[in-house]
Each structure stands twice: as structure tokens, then as C-alpha cells.
Amino acid sequence: MGTYIAGRLAQMIPTLLLIITIVFLLVYIVGDPVSLMLGEHATPEQVATMREAMGLNDPLLVQYFNYLGSVLTGDFGDSYRYNQAALPLVLDRIPATLTLAIGAILLALVIAIPLGVWAATRRGGVVDSAVSSLSVLAKAMPNFWLGIMLILLFAVVLQWLPVSGSGSWAHLVLPVVALGTGTAAEITRLVRSSMVEILSQDYIRTARGKGLRQRVVVYKHALLNAFVPVTSITILQFSTLLGGALITEVVFSWPGLGQLLVNAVSMRDMAVVQAAVFVIAVMVLALSLISDLLFKAVDRRISLG
Amino acid sequence: MRNRSATLGAGLLALSLSACGGVPGTTSDNGSENGGEEESRTLVFAQSADPTTMDPQDARSTSAERVNRNIYSRLFRRDAEMELVEDLVIDYEQVDEQTWRFTITDEAVFHNGDPLTAADVEFSINRVITDDTLLEYVEFNQITSVEAIGDYEIELTTDGPMPTLINVLSKGGADIMPSEYIEENGIEGFIASPIGSGPYEFVEWRQDDRVVLTANEDYWGGEPQWDEVELRAIPENSTRVSELLTGGVDIAADVPPNDWDRIDDEDGSHMVFGDTTRVMLLIVRMTDGYITADPEIREAIDLAIDQGTITETLFEGNATPVRSRVPVGSFGANEELYDDFLYDPERAAELVAAADETPEVTLTASRGNYPFDGEVAEMIASYLEEVGFEVNLDIREGGSYSDMYSERNNEELFLIGLADGMLDASSPMVHYTPETAEGMTDYFSEEVIDLLNQAGRTLDEEERAQLYAEAQEIVAEDRPHIPLYVQPGAFGVSDGVDFTPRLDDNLYFDDILPND
């Protein structure tokens, strides 16, 4: 197990290097932030001086290796907007984003597992059709649109919950629902299809033939086996949620990594963009590793390596 | 396994909540709830952007200024009518063309109890005139020295006659910071926990969320209006408006036009409009080889555009057509060019018809940088086509648009909004000097240069204003810019507060009154 984990960690290095390189090149292509930094009254001389000072007039390769050297020491540069080191700025926002993502995953599981099982045990019936239709609808709704609709209904019309911001459990409800709905739909469909497949297998018929109660057959024998694909998709969905959180955080004014990154992109605060993408990449790779380790924990038949 | 996952998830969630400062059950962000109680009055103001720093000398953004105006005192300030009035200063004199002496009040104290003295003024002004990395430096670099010549007396020298000195000393870069506190805690410590001598004290800044201020009970200028003030950053327009409609905030800034009626129709809220210093205009390329080098073509463009319809239809009459880039309210503005436009499509068509061939122009604009900028560009394109122009409409995304402007790659027409942060014609008129015009408009007028040079040297305010007004008339005829309208400031306001927007877009919380 230790060797396997060490191997996977080693594999992350070239992947991260590739990501750093791609982000650097994208930033290079998009252009520099000098015009936005200096504002509308900047003279060409001021723009040129600032570009020189920031090393933006150096050849591409020189800029790349300078950047790479800094990144290897954990220095992504300073945010020109905040006048602070970019990496700590990004790391400070992770707890808020994780709060949303974990909340959304928990909500998705709480909704998806019972609904998926319910639909699978009533295959072809009204419940199954209703669950399938709702899943498609929930999956099709864009996060930001759902977020705005939730605000209008629950905050503006009914006034049950705050519109935006952070600081209390009440503030967490709407963004978690907006972010978790699509994931709930995805996991519901997966739980249903896994359960349908498992419930038709011989050992389930044997269990029923032995006179075991339906609840024991479904929840003990079938659902436990359905957890392998469910675990996989849940972990993968967590990565997707980090992406979804970008827009959700802006809609709900949630002070997380997403809002920081969206603002950084629009203001070309490239040090923050690069640090944020790097941190998200590390998180996704770590989640992938955790997913594999959880597979092994859930199903002993799976071998690692 | 399910139990284990749930426990792990709940644990992580709790950990994350505590890490992001969440305090379950608090509703302190609800302005109306608190605002309604007489014992504790809280004002909540929502803006579209968060301040980027708490360093008053390194923050040239409206979102930061709105905070700093209330934390700090300064030598002078602008009142609600944009008149320059004394703040800390109780007396001042101009010793000679380059030397000024100021006496400040001995009653001002910082929030930590330290008295505000001339040493703090010297420290603060000296920092902004010597550190060229500070964003406010460019406004102050004409000041050559500052010296405390007594406990409450300061002497300033400039590198020549500086008619804008008092104006400059009212800006954020002249916010007076506590020298002893900074010496003890370093500038980083100060920025993390800033201290001023204004009516409100800094409590906390949750980045991308809110800045919280509390009343300075010992404010030397009188009792503050509010017990607590929150400035929330809510970038999404619909969320900001929803917060206003639900009473979550008392004032929402930067309300987009499509929400104006919604706010007015709702009980408990209304829209308030005011002019800003931002004038939307067309930058016209007068470089040889461009068709717009021809003055008759520039005149045809100006006459073809119906600014009245643009301001009435898109902005519901809340924007004002103008013919000068200097907004009324700024020193030296030519009021005859305010609320005026020259729409005459017949004459424009005649001028176009007189051209050798169909004039072709490229009109560059952004969509979303300014309210309705894309729509305005489309309307202008159709007006121009109606009188015979062939128009290439080039709508760009924000970054590419900014690059085109800063690199001076603009074609015949470039739609932009230009503000006047100085509230003095000297700043916007700099666009008509050869150094600034080069490569953008390539405008050159010896008459205008002469007038601007005279205005830059004279300390007689009446004469200076007259010189700027004359220069604006010439520019309006030459048309290196074709001004369109003043962009309105649009605020959604709760009926619970009485709020009047300022021309400079700043906020003094004590000017906002509760409607009891």
C-alpha cells in the first residue's frame, strides 16, 4: 500500500508540471495585466516601465523558467490587486469552498441514495419514471440559474433564508442546494442503475429464496455492493463540484476560492489565477488517489498497483 | 461504511465552517433588522467589488475609497456639493508660489487614543510623495517636501505653482495615518488592522465578503450617525438587488438598468440617481490616413448620433447628454456644453454625401464594461449607417478591449467611459495635450495647448476656470473626442434611509440619514 501511494504521488509531479506549463502559456496568450493595473490614465511610458519591471518584456522561455523556478519554491508571485503573496491568499479561501463542496456532497448523498433505491425497487413504475424525470431535470439546470431561482423563491418571496453572504448555517443552505442538486441527480441515476443490475443477480434471488426480508435483501446485500460505483462517482463529483463552486460562490457572494478565481480572471490577476489552478489541480489529484484507496476499502477484491 | 462516511463528512464540514469564520445563528448582516432598532443602528451598503487593500495610499478604487473616507481624516475634504472644505486644517496660507503653511486642529485623536499631530501629517504625506510604488504617488509627485514646523503646523513645498494642491490634499493619498502606531507595528501590521481618526473605526475585513466598521465614540468631529456600518461586496447584480429587496442591505450600488423598475415597484425601496464624473465618449482617431482625420467626417459623426434618444430610451432619462469630457461639478467645467447635443441627421447626410467615397469606420466597444455599452455602440452604428457611413462594429471582450486602449491600437472610433477622479479640468483636459494624444487621437491644437499651459500656471481660480472653458469649446469643435452622455450613478435605496449620491461616488456615512 505504501509503495502504491508513493508511486501515485510521484506520478503527480509530471501532471502538475504539465498543468503549470499549460496555465503559464494560457496566461501568456491572454496578455498581461498592466493596462488593468494602471488604469485608463496610464501613459505608454508608464505601461512600458511597468512591463519591464514585471519582466514581461523577457523572451517567453526566460519568463517560463523564471516562473518555474519561483513555483518550485512555492512562490507564485504577488497578487497585484491585493498586494499579497498569491498562494496564501488562495489557501485562505479553501475552507470556505470545502464547506460548500462537502455540504453539497452530503446533501446529494442524503437525497440520492434513498431515491435511487426507491426507484430501483419499483423499476418501470410511476416512482421510477418520476425519479428519472426529476434527475434529468435537476441535471439539466445550470448552477447559476438554479441559484438565482432559489434566491428569488426562498429569500425574496418567502424570506425564509438569507440571500447571500456567509457566517451562519442559514447562509449555507441555498448555495449548498444550488451546488448539490446536479450531483444528487447524477448519483441518484447511478444508484438506481447499479441497484437494478444487482437486484437481478442470482445471489439476490438466492437471498430472497432463503426467505430474507426485502429490507435486508435491498439494504444489506444489494446496496452494499452498489457502493463501489457510487463511491467512485461521488469522489469524481467532488472534483466537479469544485468547478461548480466557482459560479455558485459568485451568485451567493460566498467568499471562497471560486469568487477569488473569477475575480482574478476578470482582472487578469494572473498570480492568483496560476496559484488557484495549481491548488485545484492538487486537490483533484489527491481526490483521485483517495478515490482509489476508498475502492480498496469498500471492495477487497480490487487490487492496487 | 455509510455511517463512517457521514461522520467523516460532518466532521470536515464542521471543521471547514469554523475555519471560515462561520458563527451559526448570527444575523448581524441583516441591516434592516438592526437598523430598525434605535439602540443599535447599523447601515449596510452593498457594492459590486471588494476593496483590494486597507492601505489608503495604495488604493485607487471606489470600493476602497468608500471605506477610507470614513476611517481617516485628512487636511481637506469635499462636501456633498463637491466644494473643498477644511477637515483637519483650521488655518492655512500660501507663503509664496511654491510654499504653503497649514495649521491643524489639536482636537483630533486616532482610534487608539494617540493625538494626531503635525508629525503624523509629515509622515503620511512624506510616504506618498517618496514611495513611487504607491498607486496614489502619481497624484502627489508635484509636492517636493513636507515638514512639521510645530506640533500642529506643517509646511509643504511644490515643484512650481500647483493650483490643484488643496484638491490633491483632499484625496485618499492624503489620508493621515498614525506614525507611532506604524513605527511600532510596521506598515503590514497597520494594513492588517488600520487605525485612523475618522468617525468610524475598523473592526474586520473578510475579503470578498464585507468590511465592518463601528462608530468612533471619541470622534473629534462630532457624534457618528451609525453604531455600525458594513460594506458588503456582492458582485452578482441580481443578488445585490435581492439583498436590497429583502432588507439585507440598506443601499445597493451599481444597480443595472433592467432592475430599476423592479426596485421602484417594490414597497420599501426606491431608486436614486446622480451624475458621476464618468463621461461616455467616442475617441476619434485623427491620424493622417484615417478617414476621421477629415473634420467634416468628424462633424458628420457627431451630428448623426441622437444622444437624446440614447439617454431617454436606454437610461430612462437618467443620463445627461454632454459635449465636453469635463463633467459639470469638476472645477473648470463648461456648463454650456452640459445637457446639450447636436443631432442633425440631414446635415450629417450632406457631409457624408460630399465625401469622395462612402466613408468606412470601425467602431470598437466592449459589452459589460459600462452599463449598456454594447447597446449604445449598436445604436451609434445604426445612426451612422442611416446617414451613409459604412460601419464595422467591433465589440470586444474586456481584456482585449483594455489592451487595444492601452496599446493605442484604436481604429476610427472607440467607445469608452472616462472619469475625472481629480474633479478638476486639469485632469480630463490632459487628453488634449500632444503627449497624451499621441498615438490615440493624434490631436494637436496650438490654441488648446496654450490655454492649458496658462491654466496650469495660474493660481487665480476665476482665470483658470475661464481658460479651461475656452479650451473645451475649441475641443468640442475639433472633436478628438465626441462626448455622448454622463454615466448615471444608480443606487437602490431602502425607504428606511435617506441617501443622496455624490458626484465623486464616495460615501460619508454620516451624510446618510436614517428615516425614523
Side-chain angles (χ1 to χ4, degrees):
Chain A
M1 177 71 87
T3 313
Y4 172 75
I5 293 173
R8 285 291 300 271
L9 289 174
Q11 281 174 17
M12 286 184 188
I13 293 170
T15 310
L16 287 173
L17 195 61
L18 187 65
I19 289 167
I20 288 169
T21 306
I22 291 171
V23 174
F24 172 83
L25 290 173
L26 286 176
V27 165
Y28 185 84
I29 291 166
V30 169
D32 63 61
V34 172
S35 55
L36 290 173
M37 286 169 73
L38 293 177
E40 62 202 26
H41 299 299
T43 63
E45 291 73 30
Q46 286 172 318
V47 171
T49 306
M50 179 67 85
R51 284 207 172 114
E52 186 64 35
M54 293 176 73
L56 297 171
N57 290 335
D58 292 340
L60 174 64
L61 273 181
V62 173
Q63 286 189 48
Y64 174 67
F65 284 111
N66 286 342
Y67 173 68
L68 206 56
S70 300
V71 167
L72 289 176
T73 61
D75 177 12
F76 283 82
D78 288 347
S79 157
Y80 85 83
R81 288 181 66 226
Y82 291 101
N83 206 13
Q84 293 176 33
L87 189 59
L89 201 58
V90 167
L91 295 176
D92 278 352
R93 302 300 181 91
I94 288 179
T97 298
L98 277 184
T99 304
L100 269 194
I102 292 170
I105 280 285
L106 290 180
L107 176 78
L109 289 172
V110 165
I111 293 171
I113 292 173
L115 269 188
V117 171
W118 196 25
T121 54
R122 285 159 181 77
R123 187 182 177 195
V126 176
V127 169
D128 188 19
S129 299
V131 168
S132 296
S133 302
L134 279 175
S135 299
V136 171
L137 181 67
K139 187 69 191 160
M141 286 188 291
N143 274 348
F144 74 92
W145 181 84
L146 179 61
I148 291 170
M149 292 301 113
L150 289 171
I151 287 174
L152 287 176
L153 180 60
F154 291 103
V156 177
V157 177
L158 299 172
Q159 304 211 350
W160 290 349
L161 292 161
V163 175
S164 66
S166 63
S168 75
W169 288 98
H171 287 104
L172 195 56
V173 176
L174 293 183
V176 159
V177 173
L179 189 58
T181 300
T183 304
E186 190 78 25
I187 299 176
T188 301
R189 290 165 64 188
L190 186 78
V191 170
R192 181 200 165 275
S193 60
S194 301
M195 287 294 289
V196 164
E197 189 187 333
I198 290 166
L199 286 173
S200 65
Q201 287 185 6
D202 289 345
Y203 76 94
I204 295 294
R205 277 199 293 275
T206 305
R208 283 186 172 135
K210 282 162 62 182
L212 290 178
R213 280 180 301 169
Q214 171 74 352
R215 178 180 292 186
V216 175
V217 172
V218 170
Y219 287 99
K220 189 172 178 188
H221 293 276
L223 185 57
L224 212 55
N225 283 305
F227 264 124
V228 176
V230 170
T231 307
S232 161
I233 200 82
T234 302
I235 300 278
L236 291 175
Q237 281 293 317
F238 199 90
S239 306
T240 312
L241 282 177
L242 291 175
L246 301 190
I247 300 303
T248 307
E249 287 181 7
V250 173
V251 170
F252 289 96
S253 196
W254 185 263
L257 184 55
Q259 197 174 161
L260 181 71
L261 183 53
V262 169
N263 288 339
V265 168
S266 63
M267 294 304 295
R268 292 197 190 175
D269 194 351
M270 292 315 181
V272 171
V273 173
Q274 287 164 329
V277 173
F278 176 80
V279 167
I280 291 171
V282 169
M283 287 165 73
V284 170
L285 289 171
L287 285 169
S288 168
L289 176 59
I290 292 167
S291 164
D292 289 350
L293 297 176
L294 277 178
F295 272 177
K296 178 67 182 164
V298 172
D299 188 344
R300 301 275 171 197
R301 291 168 299 176
I302 294 172
S303 65
L304 299 174
Chain B
M1 184 63 208
R2 192 172 58 179
N3 289 341
R4 231 166 41 199
S5 298
T7 308
L8 177 70
L12 281 171
L13 187 60
L15 181 72
S16 306
L17 260 183
S18 66
C20 74
V23 184
T26 58
T27 55
S28 62
D29 62 325
N30 193 320
S32 289
E33 277 179 22
N34 295 333
E37 295 169 14
E38 284 188 10
E39 316 79 60
S40 175
R41 284 179 164 164
T42 299
L43 175 73
V44 185
F45 185 94
Q47 47 189 358
S48 54
D50 201 31
T52 52
T53 176
M54 287 294 134
D55 183 342
Q57 297 183 334
D58 203 21
R60 296 190 78 187
S61 65
T62 304
S63 55
E65 279 278 292
R66 286 171 174 162
V67 176
N68 295 334
R69 293 282 103 181
N70 296 280
I71 294 180
Y72 301 96
S73 306
R74 52 207 66 78
L75 298 184
F76 295 88
R77 67 181 178 86
R78 284 189 184 275
D79 65 14
E81 281 72 46
M82 298 297 108
E83 295 294 327
L84 286 163
V85 295
E86 291 87 354
D87 192 22
L88 289 167
V89 165
I90 54 172
D91 190 25
Y92 69 102
E93 61 168 329
Q94 186 173 4
V95 179
D96 58 42
E97 278 201 336
Q98 293 168 251
T99 311
W100 299 66
R101 279 199 193 122
F102 302 92
T103 305
I104 60 169
T105 177
D106 59 2
E107 293 176 1
V109 289
F110 287 108
H111 300 149
N112 63 352
D114 288 350
L116 188 156
T117 67
D120 300 300
V121 177
E122 180 186 311
F123 170 84
S124 303
I125 305 292
N126 195 48
R127 178 174 181 247
V128 75
I129 66 174
T130 53
D131 185 349
D132 63 4
T133 64
L134 295 171
L135 289 176
E136 284 284 319
Y137 169 80
V138 289
E139 304 279 9
F140 288 81
N141 58 8
Q142 270 187 275
I143 301 173
T144 49
S145 74
V146 53
E147 189 185 351
I149 53 174
D151 285 348
Y152 298 98
E153 283 100 44
I154 305 105
E155 187 170 281
L156 274 179
T157 54
T158 61
D159 64 0
M162 187 178 172
T164 56
L165 179 69
I166 304 299
N167 187 342
V168 165
L169 293 176
S170 75
K171 291 181 63 64
D175 286 350
I176 305 305
M177 305 186 296
S179 54
E180 278 188 28
Y181 178 81
I182 293 174
E183 275 162 25
E184 283 166 18
N185 298 280
I187 195 71
E188 297 303 325
F190 165 76
I191 291 169
S193 185
I195 279 177
S197 56
Y200 293 90
E201 296 180 28
F202 175 85
V203 175
E204 66 167 332
W205 177 26
R206 283 187 251 155
Q207 286 186 348
D208 275 343
D209 185 3
R210 69 194 66 200
V211 178
V212 182
L213 308 178
T214 188
N216 171 14
E217 303 295 345
D218 302 319
Y219 178 49
W220 59 276
E223 189 184 349
Q225 280 287 340
W226 303 91
D227 296 311
E228 190 169 284
V229 178
E230 292 183 11
L231 283 106
R232 294 191 54 193
I234 307 179
E236 172 60 33
N237 291 333
S238 63
T239 309
R240 205 162 56 251
V241 170
S242 294
E243 282 285 14
L244 174 75
L245 298 181
T246 57
V249 305
D250 296 301
I251 303 170
D254 311 322
V255 175
N258 52 334
D259 280 314
W260 293 353
D261 289 343
R262 187 177 160 213
I263 288 173
D264 270 333
D265 292 345
E266 197 75 24
D267 284 343
S269 64
H270 59 280
M271 285 300 303
V272 173
F273 299 95
D275 273 354
T276 65
T277 66
R278 190 168 296 279
V279 173
M280 294 300 295
L281 53 85
L282 292 171
I283 295 174
V284 185
R285 177 70 98 169
M286 295 170 65
T287 315
D288 286 345
Y290 283 82
I291 190 130
T292 39
D294 181 346
E296 293 200 338
I297 291 294
R298 295 199 300 276
E299 185 183 354
I301 292 169
D302 195 2
L303 299 183
I305 301 169
D306 183 359
Q307 285 97 327
T309 298
I310 291 174
T311 53
E312 283 299 325
T313 55
L314 290 179
F315 294 94
E316 300 178 13
N318 294 302
T320 309
V322 287
R323 293 182 55 223
S324 170
R325 185 234 176 290
V326 184
V328 165
S330 287
F331 178 85
N334 186 329
E335 296 199 10
E336 287 178 12
L337 301 174
Y338 179 78
D339 203 1
D340 188 26
F341 59 103
L342 301 174
Y343 180 53
D344 184 349
E346 289 79 21
R347 173 69 184 144
E350 283 172 22
L351 290 167
V352 171
D356 294 338
E357 55 189 45
T358 303
E360 186 178 339
V361 293
T362 295
L363 167 57
T364 307
S366 58
R367 194 182 291 282
N369 271 23
Y370 312 98
F372 284 138
D373 48 359
E375 288 82 355
V376 169
E378 284 161 3
M379 285 180 79
I380 291 172
S382 72
Y383 284 132
L384 295 179
E385 283 171 348
E386 271 177 32
V387 299
F389 280 95
E390 194 171 308
V391 182
N392 306 314
L393 186 56
D394 176 23
I395 305 251
R396 296 178 164 237
E397 65 78 31
S400 148
Y401 169 84
S402 295
D403 285 347
M404 185 180 236
Y405 177 74
S406 66
E407 289 165 11
R408 306 191 169 213
N409 291 329
N410 50 307
E411 298 289 338
E412 287 86 1
L413 301 173
F414 189 91
L415 178 67
I416 193 169
L418 295 176
D420 173 15
M422 281 280 285
L423 285 164
D424 189 290
S426 61
S427 172
M429 293 300 284
V430 82
H431 283 273
Y432 310 120
T433 60
E435 301 78 32
T436 310
E438 188 184 359
M440 184 164 287
T441 59
D442 283 320
Y443 176 57
F444 184 85
S445 162
E446 281 186 13
E447 214 177 345
V448 169
I449 294 166
D450 186 44
L451 288 167
L452 295 183
N453 283 341
Q454 286 183 57
R457 282 193 301 266
T458 182
L459 293 168
D460 180 328
E461 294 217 333
E462 201 174 321
E463 186 189 348
R464 204 162 75 87
Q466 183 56 36
L467 291 164
Y468 283 129
E470 278 178 42
Q472 284 165 73
E473 274 174 29
I474 297 166
V475 170
E477 291 295 317
D478 291 346
R479 300 182 175 87
H481 287 164
I482 297 178
L484 301 169
Y485 54 88
V486 177
Q487 185 181 299
F491 298 82
V493 181
S494 156
D495 290 349
V497 297
D498 181 11
F499 169 69
T500 306
R502 291 167 56 98
L503 182 68
D504 60 7
D505 224 8
N506 271 326
L507 283 183
Y508 287 90
F509 300 135
D510 286 349
D511 291 345
I512 303 169
L513 303 175
N515 274 333
D516 291 326

